[in-house]
Amino acid sequence: MSNEKYDDLFTAEDEKPIDYKAILFEYLMYWPWFVACLILCLIGAWGYLRYQTPVYNVNATVLIKQDDKTKGNNSNNPLAAMQDLGMLSMASNFDNEMEILRSRTLIKKVVNTLGLNIRYAEPRNFGYALPLYKNDSPIKVWMTPEEAEKLVAPLNLQLDCTSDGKVKATATYILNENENTTEKTFDRLPGVLVTPVGTLTLNAKDSTKIQEERTIQVQIVSPTSAAKLCQENLSTEPTSKQTTIVRLNYNDSHVERGLDFLTTLVALYNADANDAKNEVASRTAEFIDERISIINHELGTTESELAQYKQKAGLTDLTSDAQLALQGNAEYEQKRAENATQLRLVEFLKEYIERPENRMEIIPANIGLSDNGLSTLIGQYNEMLTERKRLLRTSSESNPAVVNLDTSLEATRKNIQTSVASVLKGLEITRNDLNREAAQFANRISNAPQQEKELLSISRQQEIKASLYLMLLQKREENAITLAATANNGRMVEEPLAGGMVGPNGKTYYMLAFLLGLGIPVAIIFLRNLLRFKIESRADVEKITDVPVVGDIPLTDTEGHPIVVQENRNGLMEEVFRSIRTNLQYMLGEGQKVILFTSTTSGEGKSFNAGNLACSFAFMGKKVVIVGLDIRKPGLNKVFEISHKERGITQYLADPKHTDLQSLCQPSAISPNLFILPGGTVPPNPTELVARKTLDEAIEQLKQSFDYVLLDTAPIGMVTDTQLIARVADLSVYVCRAGYTHKSDYELINDLKRENKLPNLCTLINGIDMDQRKNGYYYGYGKYGKYGKYGYGKKYGYGYGYGYYEKQ
């Protein structure tokens, strides 16, 4: 078929209006399918929901406190200054805290604290397994987090408790990609179950014996896997854009477990935040304790030297002259002691900063330095380092914010080193000046006894170390107060509260089941119709072509007698062929008598319909002759039970001068008005025979003797004989057979109409099975069930001379 033909077909089909009423009735005929599928889907949804564990929502709200210390002085904060200029974009502190709240690291701490990687459930005979938590389970199972972290797949443990107190433990686990089982029976608890993947400890809840028969299922997963699952069930969102209050929503199959999860999550979040805030003070406390230990040792050594010296020198009191001489020197010695104290502190700080292991650690602050600029710079450095550590909890070192902080930290650290060097240099200059001034007083007391000078030297060292020791003790107390005064970073605004069941949503599943119950039959019917390659009803014919349909022949059971119409009867087939007869008479013009019957291929019922229609015309009182022009394989002989050896029209066409056409027309025993002109002997040249002008002369003779001339021709889709015979016809009936004729083959009728190869073309549908549900709503006759089932549709063999395969 040409492309133009397909284009015309599709155009014609698109222009036809859709018969929604017919489509609706077609689907309604399958209402038992819809009812059955709806019932099955709803039962399936009910069963699914029955075996699904309910999930409950637990929610709480937490106020996140913002730290505004870094916003006070932008001139001293390079990061804040860059933000003000639009050169640096950093996430807000509130967004960072929200990410920390749902970070896997923090949730893993909650899992280890509450043991959430070990889940308990009690199976039931019908329905979902009942989740157990805390005291719900009579047995507690423990596995160290380190061993549990090594599990590559969940470890399933079944505990079968008996009334005599025994417990049978069956552990199933994956080892070397194979499933393995370890069993052990305990007469009493506690007990230990050793498996290749870890050691399990079993403890009874209240006593050493279990006094009831129960089965407990335990599943153990790695803390990381459990934290990932909890993270998926946890969501955080701000309550509004103007507040720093975050709403926590957590879904769990056990309400109490969800409440404990949120409570522990906030508690551990505050603990981590406090640890981060107190890191500076903790480092300072360590620094002070280390220096106090050193000074205490040095002070004890100095006091021992002083006691030994006095005992050796026999000194008990100093003379008033010596006191007056040394009064001026003592004043400078006091200044030298203070200077030496600051020098020692700065040296200690420089030593701490220059240690490689302290490069990214907090620098001790508030240790008594007299230089306020250096103390302020150290405070800024510690704040930036603390912010960097907090950002690394939820991001990597490649984060632009972390990179910028690293740059600022390096610059600040260099500034601190420079400041320490400057302060140290200044203290050394001050020390030299004080020594120079003290030397003047030393000259004044040069005549004092050597013992007095040595005594003063030892006393001075003792005084320096004692003042430094007292100052460090004071700073340690101040630092302890700072540690004790740290406030929580998050405050619980609304305590965790159960918000009701959130899954499975019964309404959603029942609605889905309802839609599936309707959609599955619709899809099946649609696909069934889509995969129908053969014509099955009048609707199929009307979708393919706009050639008028003159009738629908129900499937009939001929029981060996192809003629199914009888005179003076009002049965189904009589009425059907009367209707077809009327339609054909309406299509025939005045003086038109010749009706041609053809089809696409053999076995579609041309001879059957032509023969019965001829009988219907004869019963009406019309003189009718039916001519067997299917001369390759005559079919009328079988319909009217005529011997194939009878002479027919082929004798006349081959030798019209010596053959009487009227004598070849045999009267029928069915009706005196019906005559049959058989095909005759099969000729060697059928196409050339029907192409002769003799055929025109024969038809003219028959038209003069009969009221109607019916031509039973060969299938037009197989040979060209019918196209040649069509020149003598007034009306062409194209027969198709339901359940037999392929739609693609039947499309030939559109070519024939477009090219006018068959005159006054119409079509007839043969063999419609009215017992099939798809034809219960049908154009024309309605249901024919009361007439019983007719079974016509015997396939006639066809193949001689047509070049196609033979149909058995």
Side-chain angles (χ1 to χ4, degrees):
M1 188 179 291
S2 62
N3 293 334
E4 291 78 12
K5 171 188 170 184
Y6 280 108
D7 294 341
D8 293 342
L9 282 177
F10 294 146
T11 303
E13 183 178 347
D14 294 341
E15 292 176 353
K16 295 179 181 179
I18 300 175
D19 191 349
Y20 294 102
K21 182 179 179 182
I23 295 175
L24 177 62
F25 273 93
E26 180 181 1
Y27 281 93
L28 286 179
M29 285 186 296
Y30 296 92
W31 66 266
W33 291 19
F34 287 91
V35 173
C37 194
L38 275 174
I39 293 174
L40 289 176
C41 289
L42 291 175
I43 292 175
W46 177 83
Y48 175 80
L49 293 174
R50 182 70 178 175
Y51 284 92
Q52 289 299 305
T53 304
V55 178
Y56 302 92
N57 175 260
V58 180
N59 58 76
T61 54
V62 179
L63 173 64
I64 304 297
K65 297 178 182 179
Q66 295 281 14
D67 187 5
D68 297 331
K69 292 181 180 180
T70 59
K71 300 179 181 180
N73 186 4
N74 287 350
S75 61
N76 295 328
N77 189 345
L79 293 179
M82 294 176 70
Q83 284 183 274
D84 293 339
L85 294 174
M87 298 171 62
L88 179 62
S89 175
M90 296 179 62
S92 67
N93 181 60
F94 179 64
D95 294 334
N96 293 335
E97 298 303 321
M98 285 182 57
E99 290 299 320
I100 292 174
L101 267 172
R102 66 184 310 271
S103 64
R104 189 167 62 249
T105 302
L106 180 60
I107 294 177
K108 187 175 180 180
K109 292 182 180 179
V110 178
V111 169
N112 290 330
T113 302
L114 298 177
L116 298 183
N117 64 312
I118 304 176
R119 298 289 179 107
Y120 303 83
E122 184 174 7
R124 300 188 295 178
N125 293 331
F126 186 68
Y128 60 88
L130 184 66
L132 304 178
Y133 180 65
K134 285 187 175 179
N135 295 329
D136 297 336
S137 175
I139 302 176
K140 294 298 179 183
V141 180
W142 171 251
M143 186 178 192
T144 62
E146 293 75 16
E147 285 185 320
E149 192 64 51
K150 298 177 182 179
L151 293 175
V152 296
L155 187 153
N156 295 310
L157 179 67
Q158 180 170 320
L159 304 175
D160 296 316
C161 308
T162 59
S163 57
D164 58 356
K166 294 183 179 180
V167 177
K168 179 183 178 183
T170 304
T172 305
Y173 48 88
I174 301 297
L175 183 64
N176 298 328
E177 299 183 356
N178 295 320
E179 184 175 293
N180 296 273
T181 301
T182 300
E183 294 184 359
K184 186 176 182 180
T185 301
F186 300 93
D187 294 332
R188 56 181 298 171
L189 297 180
V192 176
L193 178 63
V194 180
T195 68
V197 295
T199 303
L200 304 176
T201 303
L202 281 65
N203 293 283
K205 180 181 67 174
D206 296 325
S207 63
T208 57
K209 280 185 176 271
I210 308 298
Q211 302 296 338
E212 55 183 342
E213 292 187 359
R214 297 179 66 179
T215 298
I216 307 298
Q217 293 178 345
V218 184
Q219 185 181 68
I220 304 175
V221 298
S222 65
T224 301
S225 300
K228 184 178 180 181
L229 178 61
C230 293
Q231 187 181 37
E232 294 174 354
N233 294 328
L234 176 66
S235 63
T236 59
E237 58 180 359
T239 56
S240 67
K241 295 182 179 180
Q242 291 76 27
T243 65
T244 59
I245 298 178
V246 58
R247 181 177 299 278
L248 304 176
N249 289 285
Y250 182 70
N251 297 329
D252 202 299
S253 58
H254 200 288
V255 175
E256 185 179 359
R257 184 165 56 202
L259 296 173
D260 289 349
F261 178 85
L262 290 186
T263 302
T264 309
L265 178 71
V266 176
L268 292 179
Y269 163 74
N270 284 326
D272 287 352
N274 290 339
D275 291 343
K277 291 180 181 178
N278 293 334
E279 188 172 0
V280 175
S282 299
R283 289 288 180 179
T284 302
E286 294 175 3
F287 177 80
I288 292 176
D289 290 339
E290 181 183 351
R291 298 309 164 190
I292 285 178
S293 177
I294 296 173
I295 297 300
N296 186 34
H297 176 72
E298 292 179 353
L299 183 60
T301 302
T302 304
E303 289 177 348
S304 298
E305 290 178 358
L306 180 61
Q308 292 174 1
Y309 179 79
K310 284 185 176 182
Q311 184 178 6
K312 180 180 179 181
L315 298 176
T316 58
D317 192 10
L318 297 176
T319 63
S320 58
D321 292 339
Q323 291 293 340
L324 292 174
L326 295 174
Q327 184 175 1
N329 190 37
E331 182 177 350
Y332 280 94
E333 290 297 335
Q334 179 67 30
K335 294 181 180 180
R336 291 173 66 189
E338 294 176 357
N339 177 264
T341 300
Q342 291 295 319
L343 274 172
R344 291 293 298 274
L345 289 175
V346 174
E347 288 173 354
F348 290 159
L349 185 61
K350 181 179 180 181
E351 177 187 355
Y352 181 87
I353 295 174
E354 290 178 351
R355 289 180 186 174
E357 63 270 16
N358 296 331
R359 181 172 183 81
M360 296 305 290
E361 298 294 338
I362 297 298
I363 298 177
N366 195 20
I367 59 175
L369 295 175
S370 60
D371 193 301
N372 293 330
L374 179 59
S375 298
T376 301
L377 198 59
I378 291 174
Q380 292 178 1
Y381 178 85
N382 290 338
E383 288 178 356
M384 287 189 289
L385 187 59
T386 301
E387 180 65 17
R388 179 183 184 274
K389 291 182 177 181
R390 288 176 64 82
L391 287 176
L392 286 177
R393 293 181 184 178
T394 56
S395 62
S396 62
E397 292 186 355
S398 61
N399 189 314
V402 175
V403 174
N404 289 329
L405 276 175
D406 290 341
T407 303
S408 300
L409 284 170
E410 185 64 24
T412 305
R413 187 177 184 87
K414 290 182 179 179
N415 290 339
I416 292 174
Q417 292 176 341
T418 303
S419 299
V420 168
S422 299
V423 171
L424 188 62
K425 186 65 177 178
L427 290 175
E428 289 176 351
I429 294 173
T430 302
R431 182 188 62 186
N432 294 333
D433 293 337
L434 291 175
N435 289 337
R436 198 165 44 249
E437 294 293 333
Q440 295 178 1
F441 286 96
N443 292 331
R444 294 172 58 185
I445 60 173
S446 59
N447 296 326
Q450 185 67 26
Q451 295 86 354
E452 186 71 18
K453 294 173 63 177
E454 293 179 2
L455 179 62
L456 290 175
S457 177
I458 296 173
S459 299
R460 182 172 64 250
Q461 294 297 325
Q462 180 191 18
E463 183 179 356
I464 292 173
K465 290 178 172 58
S467 62
L468 180 59
Y469 182 78
L470 291 175
M471 186 189 66
L472 290 175
L473 289 177
Q474 180 183 359
K475 293 302 179 181
R476 185 171 66 179
E477 292 301 319
E478 293 176 356
N479 193 69
I481 294 173
T482 301
L483 284 171
T486 303
N488 288 335
N489 197 50
R491 179 169 65 88
M492 191 79 76
V493 178
E494 293 181 358
E495 296 293 331
L497 180 67
M501 190 174 74
V502 295
N505 192 331
K507 293 182 179 179
T508 301
Y509 282 101
Y510 281 122
M511 180 59 69
L512 181 61
F514 181 79
L515 294 177
L516 285 176
L518 295 178
I520 291 176
V522 170
I524 292 175
I525 295 171
F526 176 78
L527 290 176
R528 185 167 173 263
N529 293 337
L530 193 64
L531 296 176
R532 288 176 180 170
F533 301 108
K534 297 180 180 180
I535 293 174
E536 296 184 357
S537 64
R538 182 169 184 158
D540 294 335
V541 172
E542 292 178 341
K543 289 179 182 178
I544 296 175
T545 182
D546 56 356
V547 172
V549 180
V550 294
D552 317 309
I553 308 298
L555 185 64
T556 61
D557 187 1
T558 62
E559 297 181 356
H561 302 285
I563 301 301
V564 297
V565 296
Q566 300 180 21
E567 192 173 9
N568 300 323
R569 291 280 302 272
N570 294 321
L572 170 64
M573 299 308 294
E574 284 80 9
E575 292 298 332
V576 169
F577 278 100
R578 286 170 188 165
S579 175
I580 297 173
R581 182 187 67 193
T582 303
N583 291 335
L584 293 178
Q585 287 178 319
Y586 178 80
M587 295 183 67
L588 288 171
E590 185 177 356
Q592 294 182 339
K593 299 180 178 182
V594 183
I595 304 174
L596 179 146
F597 283 83
T598 188
S599 66
T600 307
T601 184
S602 63
E604 293 177 302
K606 300 181 305 300
S607 301
F608 165 79
N609 287 282
N612 282 277
L613 187 61
C615 294
S616 182
F617 275 113
F619 294 153
M620 190 177 66
K622 301 294 185 180
K623 191 176 181 181
V624 183
V625 63
I626 179 168
V627 183
L629 282 177
D630 187 358
I631 56 180
R632 295 176 184 264
K633 193 173 191 334
L636 285 181
N637 302 69
K638 191 174 296 184
V639 173
F640 291 100
E641 300 178 353
I642 299 174
S643 173
H644 289 280
K645 297 181 179 180
E646 293 288 341
R647 301 175 72 241
I649 192 171
T650 55
Q651 277 73 22
Y652 177 80
L653 296 178
D655 188 11
K657 294 182 178 181
H658 301 90
T659 306
D660 182 11
L661 183 62
Q662 297 295 332
S663 64
L664 297 176
C665 297
Q666 303 179 19
S668 171
I670 299 174
S671 172
N673 295 324
L674 177 62
F675 292 83
I676 303 165
L677 179 56
T681 306
V682 177
N685 55 343
T687 303
E688 290 76 8
L689 205 61
V690 297
R692 295 176 181 177
K693 190 176 181 181
T694 309
L695 177 63
D696 301 74
E697 297 172 354
I699 298 301
E700 286 298 327
Q701 293 183 37
L702 295 175
K703 287 169 65 176
Q704 294 175 7
S705 303
F706 297 94
D707 295 323
Y708 291 99
V709 179
L710 277 64
L711 308 180
D712 178 27
T713 65
I716 195 171
M718 302 179 71
V719 293
T720 60
D721 298 1
T722 302
Q723 297 185 34
L724 298 174
I725 298 172
R727 69 183 187 274
V728 300
D730 300 318
L731 177 66
S732 302
V733 180
Y734 197 96
V735 179
C736 65
R737 178 178 167 186
Y740 183 86
T741 304
H742 285 266
K743 294 178 181 179
S744 58
D745 295 338
Y746 183 72
E747 290 176 351
L748 176 63
I749 194 173
N750 293 306
D751 280 345
L752 299 174
K753 180 185 177 183
R754 184 175 62 253
E755 298 173 7
N756 293 321
K757 292 183 178 180
L758 294 179
N760 202 6
L761 184 62
C762 63
T763 187
L764 176 65
I765 307 172
N766 179 41
I768 295 177
D769 187 357
M770 303 310 297
D771 283 350
Q772 293 187 12
R773 183 172 298 276
K774 61 178 177 286
N775 293 318
Y777 174 78
Y778 198 78
Y779 299 96
Y781 312 110
K783 295 184 178 179
Y784 300 102
K786 65 181 180 179
Y787 295 102
K789 179 179 180 182
Y790 299 87
Y792 179 76
K794 183 178 179 182
K795 299 181 181 179
Y796 295 97
Y798 228 95
Y800 172 75
Y802 294 112
Y804 280 76
Y805 60 86
E806 181 179 359
K807 293 185 178 289
Q808 298 296 332

